[in-house]
């Protein structure tokens, strides 16, 4: 799925043949009336119960691909049909075009989306809200699936609507539940307790944080307090181990950021190997865009301090 869909997205405008029965919504005309009309037209002849929507900012491990990200909802809905037997007449893919940060798209005369900078203003949130309200109004009992929103917006949007509607963010929740299943399976083999684990996340974006939150919830269910559970987690991103005094941490990263006072060499913990040497993790999950980060040296160092290391490199293969 991943390598194929990534190639398709990167070349979407050049390969464009038909709109794939999807709804393409523009931030430049995002009145509720216009959104409603677009959804009605796209859903003609279908009894929509499941809708997958993206704004194309956080595609897989390949970043912002704007409107070309529509292939993600299309591909995910194919998986829903192939793997879960969902009737194709009950599904609708949607893209919210809020511009793009990718200069090559804005300069490409074939690009099917808006050739303008991505909008990060309140206008964007009004756009998203108008879409959500109209979709929920049009399609009763809708299951609304958010996919590949950027790290600045994904959790914020999920939290805004999760107590109002039946919504799901695959990058935060879906990936989290699958990795938790892998961890539980591994603990069945090692015979160890969940609450004894030290968890290192390499790549603290939407997926990395979402997975950590789900595993932390499992530790709470196993008897730890939320504060105690968070002490078992170490988040590593581009700047190294995340500390609570770093500027520009996302709310999710702040949940797991550590104090520099915990380490004598805090200023040296700027790469994965140094963090593994300092922390001695028992679980290591990779959700970064860095290729080949789990080197033999890193794995050997991890294995020197735990009998059965649990290593899940799930970064996008591209």
């Amino acid at each position: 799925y991943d390598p194929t869909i990534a190639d398709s997205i990167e070349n979407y405008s050049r390969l464009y043949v038909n709109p794939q029965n999807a709804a393409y919504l523009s931030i430049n005309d995002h009145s509720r009336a216009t959104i409603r009309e677009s959804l009605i037209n796209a859903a003609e002849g279908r009894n929509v119960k499941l809708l997958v929507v993206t704004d194309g900012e956080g595609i897989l491990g390949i970043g912002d691909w704007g409107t070309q990200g529509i292939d993600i909802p299309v591909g995910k809905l194919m998986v829903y049909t192939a793997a879960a037997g969902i009737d194709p007449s009950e599904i609708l893919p949607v893209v919210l075009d809020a511009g793009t940060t990718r200069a090559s798209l804005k300069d490409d005369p074939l690009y099917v989306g808006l050739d303008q900078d991505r909008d990060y203003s309140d206008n964007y949130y009004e756009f998203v809200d108008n879409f959500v309200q109209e979709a929920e109004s049009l399609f009763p009992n809708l299951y609304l699936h958010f996919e590949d929103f950027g790290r600045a917006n994904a959790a914020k949007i999920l939290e805004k609507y999760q107590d109002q509607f039946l919504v799901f963010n695959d990058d935060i929740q879906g990936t989290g539940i699958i990795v938790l299943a892998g961890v539980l399976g591994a603990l069945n083999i090692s015979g160890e307790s969940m609450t004894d684990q030290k968890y290192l996340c390499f790549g603290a974006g939407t997926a990395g944080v979402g997975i950590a939150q789900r595993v932390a919830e499992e530790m709470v269910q196993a008897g730890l307090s939320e504060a105690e559970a968070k002490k078992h987690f170490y988040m590593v991103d581009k700047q190294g181990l995340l500390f609570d005094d770093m500027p520009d941490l996302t709310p999710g990263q702040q949940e797991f950021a550590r104090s520099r006072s915990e380490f004598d060499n805090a200023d040296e913990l700027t790469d994965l190997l140094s963090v593994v040497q300092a922390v001695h993790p028992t679980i290591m999950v990779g959700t970064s865009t860095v290729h080949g980060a789990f080197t033999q040296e890193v794995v050997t160092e991890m294995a020197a301090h735990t009998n059965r290391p649990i290593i899940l490199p799930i970064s996008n293969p591209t």
Side-chain angles (χ1 to χ4, degrees):
Y1 171 82
D2 270 2
T4 306
I5 208 80
D7 289 344
S8 173
I9 289 164
E10 291 176 352
N11 295 282
Y12 182 82
S13 293
R14 297 176 184 277
L15 300 174
Y16 182 83
V17 176
N18 64 62
Q20 298 170 291
N21 293 321
Y24 297 77
L25 306 180
S26 168
I27 197 168
N28 290 351
D29 185 8
H30 67 268
S31 69
R32 289 186 59 163
T34 299
I35 289 174
R36 188 178 188 86
E37 182 180 6
S38 297
L39 291 175
I40 289 172
N41 289 340
E44 184 178 6
R46 284 185 277 177
N47 177 26
V48 175
K49 298 179 181 178
L50 167 58
L51 189 153
V52 178
V53 59
T54 188
D55 72 350
E57 185 180 6
I59 300 296
L60 305 168
I62 59 176
D64 185 347
W65 284 89
T67 296
Q68 296 189 174
I70 187 60
D71 256 6
I72 283 290
V74 170
K76 288 286 176 170
L77 288 166
M78 289 178 178
V79 174
Y80 271 116
T81 294
I86 304 298
D87 188 334
S89 70
E90 296 178 347
I91 60 181
L92 179 66
V94 176
V95 64
L96 305 179
D97 189 352
T100 180
T101 59
R102 191 172 295 275
S104 61
L105 292 180
K106 289 180 282 188
D107 296 338
D108 187 349
L110 293 180
Y111 178 51
V112 296
L114 297 173
D115 56 351
Q116 63 192 47
D117 291 340
R118 183 173 286 278
D119 192 332
Y120 290 101
S121 70
D122 289 342
N123 193 42
Y124 169 82
Y125 293 105
E126 181 181 290
F127 178 29
V128 173
D129 192 59
N130 286 351
F131 157 71
V132 171
Q133 299 300 335
E134 284 303 320
E136 293 290 343
S137 172
L138 270 174
F139 310 121
N141 302 314
L142 179 68
Y143 166 33
L144 177 56
H145 171 150
F146 296 110
E147 184 76 32
D148 285 346
F149 282 72
R151 68 164 62 183
N153 293 318
K156 189 181 298 185
I157 291 171
L158 176 64
E159 289 165 6
K160 179 174 181 178
Y161 298 108
Q162 64 184 359
D163 294 330
Q164 303 176 52
F165 306 115
L166 182 62
V167 296
F168 171 72
N169 184 298
D170 193 28
D171 310 288
I172 297 172
Q173 297 167 300
T175 314
I177 203 70
I178 292 300
V179 171
L180 174 60
V183 169
L184 292 174
L187 293 177
N188 282 340
I189 296 170
S190 70
E192 296 175 351
S193 166
M194 172 66 80
T195 56
D196 291 333
Q197 303 306 304
K198 289 184 180 180
Y199 182 106
L200 190 153
C201 169
F202 181 67
T206 301
V209 170
I211 295 166
Q213 288 171 331
R214 186 63 193 88
V215 177
E217 288 175 17
E218 189 70 16
M219 289 190 177
V220 171
Q221 291 179 24
L224 299 183
S225 69
E226 186 174 334
E228 288 171 336
K230 296 288 175 65
K231 292 178 181 178
H232 290 248
F233 289 79
Y234 301 85
M235 309 293 281
V236 180
D237 210 70
K238 289 176 285 190
Q239 58 271 61
L241 184 63
L242 298 188
F243 291 110
D244 53 16
D245 61 354
M246 289 178 168
D248 302 326
L249 294 182
T250 66
Q253 291 172 340
Q254 290 170 359
E255 286 184 47
F256 297 98
R258 310 295 298 211
S259 170
R260 288 185 187 274
S261 62
E262 297 177 51
F263 302 91
D264 294 333
N265 63 337
D267 293 341
E268 299 173 10
L269 303 180
T270 56
D271 61 82
L272 180 59
L273 179 59
S274 65
V275 176
V276 170
Q277 289 170 334
V279 170
H280 299 163
T282 61
I283 300 171
M284 186 164 63
V285 177
T287 53
S288 75
T289 57
V290 179
H291 175 73
F294 290 3
T295 62
Q296 181 172 341
E297 189 176 11
V298 166
V299 173
T300 300
E301 174 64 25
M302 182 181 177
H305 303 281
T306 179
N307 290 329
R308 299 303 298 268
I310 300 169
I311 303 174
L312 298 166
I314 62 169
S315 303
N316 183 265
T318 57

